[in-house]
Amino acid sequence: MTGYHLSLISLTGIMIVFAVSLNMIMGLCGQVSLGHAAFYGVGAYVTAMMSAGGVPTLYALPVGMLIAGLMGLIVGFASLRVRDDFLAITTLAVGFLFVGVVRKSRALGGEFGISGIPESGLGPAGDAFLVAFCVVLTVALSVYLSRNWTGLAFRSISANEEAAQTLGINSAHYKLLAFCIGCALAGLAGGLYANYARFIVPGTFGFSLSITAAAMVVIGGIGSTAGVVAGAVLLTLFPEIFRFLGDYRMLVYGALLVGVMLFQPKGLAGIPSMVRRWAGPR
Amino acid sequence: MYYVDLLISGVAFGCLYAMATMGLTLVYGLLRILHIAHAALFTLGAFVGVWVFNASGSLIVGLIVAILAAVVMGCLIYRLIYESILSQPPYVPLLASLGVLIFLQDGFRIVFGEEGLTVRHNPFYMANFTIGAFSINVIYIVMAGGALISMAVLAFFANYSRHGIAWRATVSRPLLAANFGVNVIQVRYAAFAAGSALAAIAGVLVALMNNLVEPHSGELISYKGLAIIVLGGLGNMQGAFIASLVLGIAESFGIGLAGRYVDRDAIAAVALIATLMIFPNGIGRART
């Protein structure tokens, strides 16, 4: 296995953590977020600044998570006030606000970002192992959450918030929880990314990354952890898989997005049941 | 004087946003789709308009061909993409629309090249209109004038023509309107056609202002467009117009006063978040 493969695997792992974190907010709890890259960016910037200041990566990562989680809590309060399309637009604005502020902030390196982030000291294999560990942890948390009482509450809010409230579910409490956990995990993914790339610029954390994450969730199958993991793997490796397309990759990417939405709106997670319907007794 | 200049450019941009995003409002009112691919129609109009203008030397011909191209493409997007996924949850059409935007933007890059097209004989380039101490870019006047005229025509149709009444009826009660014999499908095509035509005009005007059209020109309106329709209220044209003006002026003054700390998009974002926190259902009330 070459260093290139190792780095590709790390990147895929980071995107899995990121996509699964968005799925907690969007898939489980049903709150559409189009600015999730901002929290990834918060995690990346906090971790990068602390690493550059001499703090070991393993200590910097949780701090990045914590701060991203707190930011998520603040945006979560917005989700109590606005709903549906209005929430989608609010989170979209949060994404633009983050990039706009970072771009003009001299302390955060402005347009040029932060370069020369020191190595974690774990070595390439150690870094890959760290990413793998975080992936396992995130996926386990997501599966655990979706199967216990909290996940049920999330799903009920996603299905019908008024009905959930009538049944005595404190929807505000659970929405804030979803934003908090989801954004903290996005911060973790961002911290891992800063450690992986060792060079970050504000443009990375813009609208297109938020959309990529949303596409991973929806193409994978909204609400299904396994589907979202598959979606994240597929879209991260997309440039590799479709390398033969050369200059036409974005064209095909757009067409793929449209095609999945038209013919398989439940995403990859909907395929097994479709196959079963075909193969099963009629 | 500085503030007057800011106000003028803010109003001009506001009018432009209003014209460019009217199609989004029309579509959102009827179908509740955040039609982000509309931005690609804006770019399509600009490319076709500039290309024909450069080739023929006539701005009017360029404008007409641009409008036709955008109208055809807009109706195609409805027929091929949206019609079959209207019953899906809202993020499905939104992502499909984004896919269309990505596809078309990359298509423009492949067809017209990364650098885009430059306007060859631009009548408005560096043209200024001076009254006393004021000097206004002529293109600003054309932008504001074009927007106001086209909106007035649209508002007249919406309020007084039978098609306009059918449109308003369909926005407020689709089922009831259909029962009263309104051809809902025809209303939808009309909305896509009118909105796409306005986007094409706006695209050509922006190309004239920048003297250039690029594959990514549409990003100027894509995300802000969504903000405007949502702020303006559910498919409410007056609300969208006010939201566009507010956004244009807020951006203009924001850049002038706080441009050192945040960029243009971030100022629009702050204006948006603040407005939505105060009015969680948008400025304009839904017409019911």
Side-chain angles (χ1 to χ4, degrees), chain A residues 78 81-82 85-86 89-90 93 96-97 100-101 103-104 207 211 214 218 222 247-248 250-251 253-255 257-258 261-262 265, chain B residues 28 81 84-85 88 91 95-96 98-100 102-103 106-107 109-110 223 226 230 259 261-263 269-270 273 276-278 280-281:
Chain A
R81 185 126 174 93
V82 292
D85 291 342
F86 294 96
I89 299 302
T90 309
F96 278 104
L97 183 59
V101 169
R103 218 169 235 164
K104 296 276 176 170
F207 183 67
I211 284 305
V218 176
I222 191 156
D247 209 22
Y248 297 93
M250 284 313 279
L251 198 73
Y253 177 64
L257 203 54
V258 176
M261 291 304 103
L262 282 185
Chain B
Y28 190 78
I81 315 282
S84 59
I85 47 175
Q88 301 286 344
Y91 56 81
L95 277 178
L98 259 166
V100 174
I102 294 172
F103 180 85
D106 211 48
R109 184 185 61 82
I110 291 164
Y223 320 123
L226 298 189
V230 171
Y261 308 107
V262 283
D263 67 2
V270 171
I273 297 173
L276 273 180
M277 288 303 114
I278 302 168
N281 295 316

Short mmCIF file of all heavy atoms in Angstrom, two decimals, chain A residues 78 81-82 85-86 89-90 93 96-97 100-101 103-104 207 211 214 218 222 247-248 250-251 253-255 257-258 261-262 265, chain B residues 28 81 84-85 88 91 95-96 98-100 102-103 106-107 109-110 223 226 230 259 261-263 269-270 273 276-278 280-281:
data_model
loop_
_atom_site.label_atom_id
_atom_site.label_comp_id
_atom_site.label_asym_id
_atom_site.label_seq_id
_atom_site.Cartn_x
_atom_site.Cartn_y
_atom_site.Cartn_z
N ALA A 78 -31.43 28.68 16.43
CA ALA A 78 -32.12 29.22 15.24
C ALA A 78 -33.16 28.22 14.74
O ALA A 78 -34.23 28.60 14.27
CB ALA A 78 -31.12 29.54 14.14
N ARG A 81 -36.55 28.58 16.02
CA ARG A 81 -37.33 29.73 15.59
C ARG A 81 -37.82 29.58 14.15
O ARG A 81 -38.93 29.98 13.84
CB ARG A 81 -36.45 30.98 15.73
CG ARG A 81 -37.15 32.26 15.44
CD ARG A 81 -37.01 33.24 16.58
NE ARG A 81 -37.58 34.52 16.23
CZ ARG A 81 -38.84 34.86 16.51
NH1 ARG A 81 -39.63 34.02 17.13
NH2 ARG A 81 -39.30 36.03 16.16
N VAL A 82 -37.00 29.02 13.28
CA VAL A 82 -37.40 28.89 11.88
C VAL A 82 -37.44 27.41 11.51
O VAL A 82 -36.77 26.59 12.12
CB VAL A 82 -36.42 29.63 10.93
CG1 VAL A 82 -36.52 31.11 11.13
CG2 VAL A 82 -35.01 29.17 11.13
N ASP A 85 -37.85 25.15 4.90
CA ASP A 85 -37.08 25.93 3.93
C ASP A 85 -36.38 27.11 4.60
O ASP A 85 -35.28 27.48 4.22
CB ASP A 85 -38.00 26.45 2.82
CG ASP A 85 -38.49 25.31 1.96
OD1 ASP A 85 -37.88 24.23 2.00
OD2 ASP A 85 -39.48 25.50 1.24
N PHE A 86 -37.04 27.71 5.60
CA PHE A 86 -36.44 28.86 6.26
C PHE A 86 -35.19 28.44 7.01
O PHE A 86 -34.20 29.17 7.05
CB PHE A 86 -37.44 29.50 7.22
CG PHE A 86 -38.62 30.10 6.50
CD1 PHE A 86 -39.80 29.40 6.37
CD2 PHE A 86 -38.52 31.37 5.95
CE1 PHE A 86 -40.87 29.94 5.69
CE2 PHE A 86 -39.59 31.92 5.27
CZ PHE A 86 -40.76 31.20 5.13
N ILE A 89 -32.33 27.92 4.57
CA ILE A 89 -31.73 29.19 4.15
C ILE A 89 -30.89 29.78 5.27
O ILE A 89 -29.82 30.34 5.04
CB ILE A 89 -32.83 30.18 3.73
CG1 ILE A 89 -33.61 29.61 2.55
CG2 ILE A 89 -32.24 31.51 3.36
CD1 ILE A 89 -32.78 29.30 1.36
N THR A 90 -31.36 29.66 6.53
CA THR A 90 -30.59 30.20 7.65
C THR A 90 -29.24 29.49 7.75
O THR A 90 -28.20 30.14 7.90
CB THR A 90 -31.36 30.02 8.97
OG1 THR A 90 -32.67 30.53 8.79
CG2 THR A 90 -30.68 30.75 10.10
N ALA A 93 -26.92 30.61 5.15
CA ALA A 93 -26.33 31.91 5.47
C ALA A 93 -25.21 31.75 6.49
O ALA A 93 -24.18 32.43 6.41
CB ALA A 93 -27.41 32.85 5.99
N PHE A 96 -22.08 30.89 4.69
CA PHE A 96 -21.46 32.03 4.02
C PHE A 96 -20.82 32.98 5.02
O PHE A 96 -19.77 33.56 4.77
CB PHE A 96 -22.48 32.78 3.17
CG PHE A 96 -22.68 32.14 1.84
CD1 PHE A 96 -23.80 31.39 1.57
CD2 PHE A 96 -21.72 32.28 0.86
CE1 PHE A 96 -23.97 30.78 0.34
CE2 PHE A 96 -21.89 31.68 -0.37
CZ PHE A 96 -23.02 30.92 -0.63
N LEU A 97 -21.49 33.13 6.18
CA LEU A 97 -20.97 34.02 7.21
C LEU A 97 -19.61 33.52 7.69
O LEU A 97 -18.65 34.29 7.81
CB LEU A 97 -21.97 34.08 8.37
CG LEU A 97 -21.62 35.02 9.51
CD1 LEU A 97 -21.49 36.44 8.99
CD2 LEU A 97 -22.69 34.96 10.58
N GLY A 100 -16.98 34.14 5.03
CA GLY A 100 -16.74 35.58 4.88
C GLY A 100 -15.91 36.14 6.02
O GLY A 100 -15.01 36.96 5.80
N VAL A 101 -16.19 35.72 7.24
CA VAL A 101 -15.45 36.24 8.40
C VAL A 101 -14.01 35.73 8.40
O VAL A 101 -13.06 36.49 8.58
CB VAL A 101 -16.18 35.87 9.71
CG1 VAL A 101 -15.30 36.17 10.91
CG2 VAL A 101 -17.48 36.63 9.82
N ARG A 103 -12.24 34.70 5.92
CA ARG A 103 -11.51 35.26 4.80
C ARG A 103 -10.88 36.60 5.13
O ARG A 103 -9.82 36.95 4.64
CB ARG A 103 -12.50 35.44 3.65
CG ARG A 103 -11.88 35.11 2.34
CD ARG A 103 -12.86 35.03 1.24
NE ARG A 103 -12.71 33.76 0.60
CZ ARG A 103 -13.59 33.22 -0.19
NH1 ARG A 103 -14.71 33.84 -0.43
NH2 ARG A 103 -13.35 32.06 -0.74
N LYS A 104 -11.57 37.39 5.93
CA LYS A 104 -11.09 38.75 6.21
C LYS A 104 -10.36 38.83 7.55
O LYS A 104 -9.94 39.90 7.96
CB LYS A 104 -12.28 39.72 6.24
CG LYS A 104 -13.00 39.85 4.91
CD LYS A 104 -12.31 40.85 4.01
CE LYS A 104 -12.99 40.88 2.66
NZ LYS A 104 -12.53 41.96 1.82
N PHE A 207 -19.69 26.71 0.42
CA PHE A 207 -20.99 26.13 0.10
C PHE A 207 -20.86 24.79 -0.60
O PHE A 207 -21.63 23.87 -0.35
CB PHE A 207 -21.77 27.12 -0.76
CG PHE A 207 -23.14 26.67 -1.11
CD1 PHE A 207 -24.10 26.56 -0.12
CD2 PHE A 207 -23.48 26.35 -2.40
CE1 PHE A 207 -25.38 26.14 -0.42
CE2 PHE A 207 -24.76 25.93 -2.71
CZ PHE A 207 -25.71 25.83 -1.72
N ILE A 211 -22.75 21.29 0.31
CA ILE A 211 -23.62 20.60 -0.64
C ILE A 211 -23.13 19.18 -0.89
O ILE A 211 -23.92 18.25 -1.00
CB ILE A 211 -23.65 21.40 -1.96
CG1 ILE A 211 -24.53 22.61 -1.77
CG2 ILE A 211 -24.17 20.56 -3.10
CD1 ILE A 211 -25.89 22.28 -1.30
N ALA A 214 -24.36 17.17 1.91
CA ALA A 214 -25.80 16.91 1.77
C ALA A 214 -26.04 15.87 0.67
O ALA A 214 -26.89 14.99 0.81
CB ALA A 214 -26.54 18.20 1.47
N VAL A 218 -27.97 12.32 0.98
CA VAL A 218 -29.18 12.00 0.21
C VAL A 218 -28.92 10.88 -0.79
O VAL A 218 -29.75 9.98 -0.96
CB VAL A 218 -29.73 13.27 -0.47
CG1 VAL A 218 -30.92 12.91 -1.33
CG2 VAL A 218 -30.12 14.27 0.58
N ILE A 222 -31.12 9.05 3.04
CA ILE A 222 -31.25 9.91 4.23
C ILE A 222 -31.76 9.10 5.41
O ILE A 222 -32.71 8.33 5.30
CB ILE A 222 -32.13 11.12 3.88
CG1 ILE A 222 -32.07 12.15 4.98
CG2 ILE A 222 -33.55 10.73 3.55
CD1 ILE A 222 -32.40 13.54 4.49
N ASP A 247 -11.82 15.72 -18.17
CA ASP A 247 -12.34 17.06 -18.01
C ASP A 247 -13.84 17.09 -17.79
O ASP A 247 -14.40 18.12 -17.45
CB ASP A 247 -11.97 17.83 -19.28
CG ASP A 247 -11.81 19.31 -19.00
OD1 ASP A 247 -11.58 19.64 -17.83
OD2 ASP A 247 -11.94 20.10 -19.93
N TYR A 248 -14.52 15.97 -17.99
CA TYR A 248 -15.99 15.99 -17.94
C TYR A 248 -16.54 15.52 -16.60
O TYR A 248 -17.71 15.20 -16.49
CB TYR A 248 -16.55 15.12 -19.08
CG TYR A 248 -16.18 15.63 -20.44
CD1 TYR A 248 -15.05 15.18 -21.10
CD2 TYR A 248 -16.95 16.61 -21.05
CE1 TYR A 248 -14.69 15.68 -22.33
CE2 TYR A 248 -16.61 17.12 -22.29
CZ TYR A 248 -15.48 16.64 -22.92
OH TYR A 248 -15.14 17.15 -24.13
N MET A 250 -17.18 16.98 -13.64
CA MET A 250 -18.23 17.75 -12.99
C MET A 250 -19.56 17.58 -13.74
O MET A 250 -20.62 17.52 -13.14
CB MET A 250 -17.87 19.24 -12.91
CG MET A 250 -16.86 19.58 -11.86
SD MET A 250 -17.22 18.83 -10.26
CE MET A 250 -18.45 19.98 -9.63
N LEU A 251 -19.46 17.50 -15.06
CA LEU A 251 -20.65 17.29 -15.88
C LEU A 251 -21.34 15.99 -15.45
O LEU A 251 -22.54 15.95 -15.21
CB LEU A 251 -20.21 17.22 -17.35
CG LEU A 251 -21.27 17.42 -18.41
CD1 LEU A 251 -21.66 18.88 -18.47
CD2 LEU A 251 -20.75 17.00 -19.77
N TYR A 253 -20.89 14.39 -12.64
CA TYR A 253 -21.31 14.50 -11.25
C TYR A 253 -22.71 15.12 -11.16
O TYR A 253 -23.59 14.61 -10.47
CB TYR A 253 -20.29 15.35 -10.49
CG TYR A 253 -20.63 15.62 -9.06
CD1 TYR A 253 -20.72 14.58 -8.15
CD2 TYR A 253 -20.84 16.92 -8.61
CE1 TYR A 253 -21.02 14.84 -6.83
CE2 TYR A 253 -21.15 17.18 -7.30
CZ TYR A 253 -21.23 16.15 -6.41
OH TYR A 253 -21.54 16.39 -5.10
N GLY A 254 -22.90 16.22 -11.91
CA GLY A 254 -24.22 16.86 -11.94
C GLY A 254 -25.28 15.91 -12.45
O GLY A 254 -26.36 15.77 -11.87
N ALA A 255 -24.95 15.22 -13.54
CA ALA A 255 -25.91 14.29 -14.14
C ALA A 255 -26.24 13.16 -13.16
O ALA A 255 -27.39 12.74 -13.04
CB ALA A 255 -25.36 13.73 -15.44
N LEU A 257 -26.16 13.27 -9.89
CA LEU A 257 -27.01 13.82 -8.83
C LEU A 257 -28.46 13.85 -9.30
O LEU A 257 -29.37 13.40 -8.60
CB LEU A 257 -26.51 15.22 -8.48
CG LEU A 257 -26.84 15.77 -7.11
CD1 LEU A 257 -26.40 14.81 -6.04
CD2 LEU A 257 -26.15 17.11 -6.92
N VAL A 258 -28.67 14.38 -10.52
CA VAL A 258 -30.02 14.45 -11.06
C VAL A 258 -30.59 13.04 -11.22
O VAL A 258 -31.73 12.77 -10.83
CB VAL A 258 -30.02 15.17 -12.42
CG1 VAL A 258 -31.42 15.16 -13.02
CG2 VAL A 258 -29.54 16.60 -12.26
N MET A 261 -31.66 11.41 -7.97
CA MET A 261 -32.88 12.02 -7.43
C MET A 261 -34.11 11.61 -8.24
O MET A 261 -35.20 11.44 -7.70
CB MET A 261 -32.75 13.55 -7.44
CG MET A 261 -31.76 14.10 -6.45
SD MET A 261 -32.08 13.59 -4.76
CE MET A 261 -30.89 12.34 -4.53
N LEU A 262 -33.94 11.44 -9.55
CA LEU A 262 -35.09 11.10 -10.39
C LEU A 262 -35.49 9.64 -10.23
O LEU A 262 -36.67 9.32 -10.14
CB LEU A 262 -34.76 11.36 -11.87
CG LEU A 262 -34.82 12.79 -12.36
CD1 LEU A 262 -34.60 12.83 -13.85
CD2 LEU A 262 -36.16 13.42 -12.02
N PRO A 265 -34.87 8.18 -5.43
CA PRO A 265 -34.81 9.27 -4.44
C PRO A 265 -34.55 8.79 -3.02
O PRO A 265 -34.20 9.59 -2.17
CB PRO A 265 -36.17 9.96 -4.57
CG PRO A 265 -37.01 9.09 -5.41
CD PRO A 265 -36.15 8.11 -6.13
N TYR B 28 -41.46 28.91 -6.80
CA TYR B 28 -41.65 28.53 -5.40
C TYR B 28 -43.12 28.65 -5.01
O TYR B 28 -43.66 27.80 -4.30
CB TYR B 28 -40.78 29.40 -4.50
CG TYR B 28 -40.73 28.92 -3.08
CD1 TYR B 28 -39.93 27.85 -2.74
CD2 TYR B 28 -41.51 29.51 -2.09
CE1 TYR B 28 -39.88 27.39 -1.45
CE2 TYR B 28 -41.47 29.04 -0.79
CZ TYR B 28 -40.66 27.99 -0.48
OH TYR B 28 -40.63 27.52 0.80
N ILE B 81 -37.25 17.26 -15.30
CA ILE B 81 -36.72 17.02 -13.96
C ILE B 81 -37.82 17.11 -12.89
O ILE B 81 -38.09 16.14 -12.19
CB ILE B 81 -35.61 18.03 -13.59
CG1 ILE B 81 -34.64 18.21 -14.74
CG2 ILE B 81 -34.92 17.63 -12.29
CD1 ILE B 81 -33.63 17.13 -14.92
N SER B 84 -41.62 14.85 -12.36
CA SER B 84 -41.76 13.51 -11.81
C SER B 84 -41.41 13.42 -10.32
O SER B 84 -41.64 12.39 -9.71
CB SER B 84 -40.89 12.54 -12.61
OG SER B 84 -39.56 12.95 -12.55
N ILE B 85 -40.83 14.47 -9.74
CA ILE B 85 -40.43 14.35 -8.33
C ILE B 85 -41.14 15.37 -7.44
O ILE B 85 -40.70 15.67 -6.34
CB ILE B 85 -38.90 14.49 -8.14
CG1 ILE B 85 -38.36 15.68 -8.91
CG2 ILE B 85 -38.17 13.24 -8.57
CD1 ILE B 85 -36.88 15.93 -8.66
N GLN B 88 -42.03 14.18 -3.86
CA GLN B 88 -40.95 13.79 -2.94
C GLN B 88 -40.74 14.89 -1.88
O GLN B 88 -41.15 16.02 -2.08
CB GLN B 88 -39.65 13.58 -3.72
CG GLN B 88 -39.74 12.52 -4.79
CD GLN B 88 -39.77 11.13 -4.21
OE1 GLN B 88 -39.43 10.93 -3.05
NE2 GLN B 88 -40.20 10.16 -5.00
N TYR B 91 -36.09 18.20 -0.10
CA TYR B 91 -34.67 18.17 -0.42
C TYR B 91 -34.39 17.41 -1.71
O TYR B 91 -33.33 17.59 -2.31
CB TYR B 91 -33.85 17.61 0.75
CG TYR B 91 -34.28 16.24 1.20
CD1 TYR B 91 -33.86 15.11 0.52
CD2 TYR B 91 -35.11 16.08 2.30
CE1 TYR B 91 -34.28 13.85 0.91
CE2 TYR B 91 -35.53 14.83 2.70
CZ TYR B 91 -35.10 13.72 2.00
OH TYR B 91 -35.52 12.48 2.39
N LEU B 95 -31.88 19.02 -4.42
CA LEU B 95 -30.61 18.42 -4.86
C LEU B 95 -30.61 18.15 -6.36
O LEU B 95 -29.59 18.32 -7.03
CB LEU B 95 -30.33 17.14 -4.07
CG LEU B 95 -29.69 17.39 -2.72
CD1 LEU B 95 -29.49 16.10 -1.98
CD2 LEU B 95 -28.36 18.10 -2.86
N ALA B 96 -31.77 17.75 -6.91
CA ALA B 96 -31.84 17.55 -8.35
C ALA B 96 -31.55 18.87 -9.06
O ALA B 96 -30.81 18.93 -10.05
CB ALA B 96 -33.22 17.03 -8.73
N LEU B 98 -29.78 21.34 -7.91
CA LEU B 98 -28.35 21.61 -7.79
C LEU B 98 -27.57 20.81 -8.82
O LEU B 98 -26.60 21.32 -9.41
CB LEU B 98 -27.88 21.19 -6.40
CG LEU B 98 -27.72 22.31 -5.43
CD1 LEU B 98 -27.58 21.76 -4.04
CD2 LEU B 98 -26.49 23.12 -5.79
N GLY B 99 -27.99 19.56 -9.02
CA GLY B 99 -27.34 18.73 -10.04
C GLY B 99 -27.44 19.38 -11.40
O GLY B 99 -26.46 19.44 -12.15
N VAL B 100 -28.63 19.91 -11.72
CA VAL B 100 -28.81 20.59 -13.00
C VAL B 100 -27.87 21.80 -13.10
O VAL B 100 -27.23 22.03 -14.13
CB VAL B 100 -30.27 21.04 -13.18
CG1 VAL B 100 -30.42 21.87 -14.44
CG2 VAL B 100 -31.19 19.85 -13.22
N ILE B 102 -24.98 22.31 -11.54
CA ILE B 102 -23.60 21.86 -11.72
C ILE B 102 -23.38 21.40 -13.16
O ILE B 102 -22.40 21.76 -13.81
CB ILE B 102 -23.27 20.72 -10.73
CG1 ILE B 102 -23.30 21.24 -9.29
CG2 ILE B 102 -21.93 20.09 -11.04
CD1 ILE B 102 -23.19 20.16 -8.25
N PHE B 103 -24.35 20.63 -13.66
CA PHE B 103 -24.26 20.09 -15.02
C PHE B 103 -24.19 21.23 -16.04
O PHE B 103 -23.30 21.26 -16.90
CB PHE B 103 -25.50 19.22 -15.28
CG PHE B 103 -25.53 18.60 -16.64
CD1 PHE B 103 -24.87 17.41 -16.89
CD2 PHE B 103 -26.22 19.20 -17.68
CE1 PHE B 103 -24.90 16.82 -18.14
CE2 PHE B 103 -26.26 18.63 -18.94
CZ PHE B 103 -25.59 17.44 -19.17
N ASP B 106 -20.94 23.35 -15.87
CA ASP B 106 -19.80 22.68 -16.48
C ASP B 106 -19.98 22.60 -17.99
O ASP B 106 -19.01 22.69 -18.74
CB ASP B 106 -19.61 21.28 -15.87
CG ASP B 106 -18.16 20.88 -15.88
OD1 ASP B 106 -17.33 21.71 -15.45
OD2 ASP B 106 -17.84 19.77 -16.34
N GLY B 107 -21.24 22.46 -18.42
CA GLY B 107 -21.52 22.49 -19.85
C GLY B 107 -21.09 23.83 -20.47
O GLY B 107 -20.45 23.85 -21.53
N ARG B 109 -18.80 25.78 -19.37
CA ARG B 109 -17.34 25.82 -19.37
C ARG B 109 -16.80 25.08 -20.60
O ARG B 109 -15.88 25.54 -21.27
CB ARG B 109 -16.80 25.19 -18.09
CG ARG B 109 -15.29 25.27 -17.94
CD ARG B 109 -14.85 24.51 -16.70
NE ARG B 109 -15.19 23.08 -16.76
CZ ARG B 109 -14.48 22.17 -17.39
NH1 ARG B 109 -13.39 22.50 -18.02
NH2 ARG B 109 -14.86 20.89 -17.39
N ILE B 110 -17.41 23.92 -20.90
CA ILE B 110 -16.91 23.12 -22.01
C ILE B 110 -17.23 23.80 -23.34
O ILE B 110 -16.39 23.85 -24.25
CB ILE B 110 -17.53 21.70 -21.94
CG1 ILE B 110 -16.95 20.97 -20.74
CG2 ILE B 110 -17.26 20.94 -23.23
CD1 ILE B 110 -17.73 19.74 -20.34
N TYR B 223 -27.52 31.57 -4.69
CA TYR B 223 -27.84 31.35 -3.28
C TYR B 223 -28.62 32.52 -2.72
O TYR B 223 -29.53 32.35 -1.92
CB TYR B 223 -26.56 31.09 -2.49
CG TYR B 223 -25.64 30.20 -3.27
CD1 TYR B 223 -24.35 30.57 -3.59
CD2 TYR B 223 -26.13 29.00 -3.78
CE1 TYR B 223 -23.54 29.76 -4.36
CE2 TYR B 223 -25.34 28.19 -4.56
CZ TYR B 223 -24.05 28.57 -4.84
OH TYR B 223 -23.27 27.78 -5.63
N LEU B 226 -32.30 32.19 -3.47
CA LEU B 226 -33.06 31.38 -2.52
C LEU B 226 -33.42 32.21 -1.30
O LEU B 226 -34.54 32.16 -0.80
CB LEU B 226 -32.23 30.17 -2.07
CG LEU B 226 -31.83 29.19 -3.15
CD1 LEU B 226 -31.21 27.96 -2.51
CD2 LEU B 226 -33.03 28.80 -3.96
N VAL B 230 -37.35 33.17 -0.01
CA VAL B 230 -37.80 32.72 1.30
C VAL B 230 -38.11 33.92 2.19
O VAL B 230 -39.12 33.95 2.88
CB VAL B 230 -36.75 31.79 1.93
CG1 VAL B 230 -37.09 31.51 3.35
CG2 VAL B 230 -36.70 30.50 1.15
N GLY B 259 -16.52 46.54 4.98
CA GLY B 259 -15.87 45.68 4.00
C GLY B 259 -14.52 45.15 4.44
O GLY B 259 -14.01 44.18 3.88
N TYR B 261 -13.93 43.83 7.34
CA TYR B 261 -14.05 42.71 8.28
C TYR B 261 -14.76 41.50 7.68
O TYR B 261 -14.53 40.38 8.08
CB TYR B 261 -14.79 43.17 9.54
CG TYR B 261 -14.18 44.39 10.13
CD1 TYR B 261 -14.82 45.62 10.03
CD2 TYR B 261 -12.93 44.34 10.75
CE1 TYR B 261 -14.24 46.77 10.55
CE2 TYR B 261 -12.34 45.48 11.25
CZ TYR B 261 -13.00 46.69 11.15
OH TYR B 261 -12.41 47.81 11.64
N VAL B 262 -15.66 41.74 6.74
CA VAL B 262 -16.43 40.64 6.16
C VAL B 262 -16.56 40.88 4.66
O VAL B 262 -16.38 42.00 4.19
CB VAL B 262 -17.84 40.53 6.79
CG1 VAL B 262 -17.78 39.89 8.14
CG2 VAL B 262 -18.50 41.87 6.85
N ASP B 263 -16.88 39.83 3.90
CA ASP B 263 -17.04 40.04 2.46
C ASP B 263 -18.52 40.17 2.09
O ASP B 263 -19.40 40.12 2.94
CB ASP B 263 -16.33 38.94 1.65
CG ASP B 263 -16.97 37.57 1.84
OD1 ASP B 263 -17.98 37.50 2.56
OD2 ASP B 263 -16.46 36.61 1.27
N ALA B 269 -25.47 37.45 4.27
CA ALA B 269 -25.83 36.39 5.23
C ALA B 269 -26.29 36.99 6.55
O ALA B 269 -27.29 36.54 7.12
CB ALA B 269 -24.64 35.46 5.44
N VAL B 270 -25.58 38.02 7.02
CA VAL B 270 -25.97 38.63 8.29
C VAL B 270 -27.36 39.25 8.17
O VAL B 270 -28.23 39.07 9.03
CB VAL B 270 -24.94 39.70 8.72
CG1 VAL B 270 -25.46 40.48 9.91
CG2 VAL B 270 -23.63 39.05 9.07
N ILE B 273 -29.91 36.39 8.21
CA ILE B 273 -30.13 35.74 9.51
C ILE B 273 -30.91 36.68 10.42
O ILE B 273 -31.88 36.28 11.07
CB ILE B 273 -28.78 35.34 10.15
CG1 ILE B 273 -28.08 34.30 9.27
CG2 ILE B 273 -29.00 34.78 11.54
CD1 ILE B 273 -26.68 33.97 9.72
N LEU B 276 -34.53 36.85 9.38
CA LEU B 276 -35.29 35.63 9.66
C LEU B 276 -35.51 35.43 11.15
O LEU B 276 -36.52 34.86 11.56
CB LEU B 276 -34.56 34.41 9.09
CG LEU B 276 -34.89 34.11 7.63
CD1 LEU B 276 -34.11 32.91 7.17
CD2 LEU B 276 -36.37 33.87 7.45
N MET B 277 -34.57 35.91 11.98
CA MET B 277 -34.77 35.75 13.42
C MET B 277 -35.91 36.66 13.89
O MET B 277 -36.63 36.34 14.84
CB MET B 277 -33.48 36.07 14.18
CG MET B 277 -32.39 35.03 14.04
SD MET B 277 -32.90 33.37 14.56
CE MET B 277 -32.84 32.51 13.03
N ILE B 278 -36.06 37.81 13.21
CA ILE B 278 -37.15 38.72 13.61
C ILE B 278 -38.47 38.28 12.99
O ILE B 278 -39.51 38.25 13.64
CB ILE B 278 -36.81 40.17 13.20
CG1 ILE B 278 -35.48 40.58 13.85
CG2 ILE B 278 -37.91 41.12 13.65
CD1 ILE B 278 -34.91 41.86 13.31
N PRO B 280 -39.73 35.04 11.39
CA PRO B 280 -39.40 33.65 11.04
C PRO B 280 -40.13 33.15 9.81
O PRO B 280 -39.75 32.14 9.25
CB PRO B 280 -39.82 32.84 12.27
CG PRO B 280 -40.12 33.83 13.32
CD PRO B 280 -40.38 35.14 12.69
N ASN B 281 -41.18 33.83 9.36
CA ASN B 281 -41.89 33.36 8.18
C ASN B 281 -41.71 34.29 6.99
O ASN B 281 -42.54 34.32 6.08
CB ASN B 281 -43.37 33.17 8.48
CG ASN B 281 -43.58 32.07 9.48
OD1 ASN B 281 -42.97 31.01 9.38
ND2 ASN B 281 -44.39 32.33 10.49
#
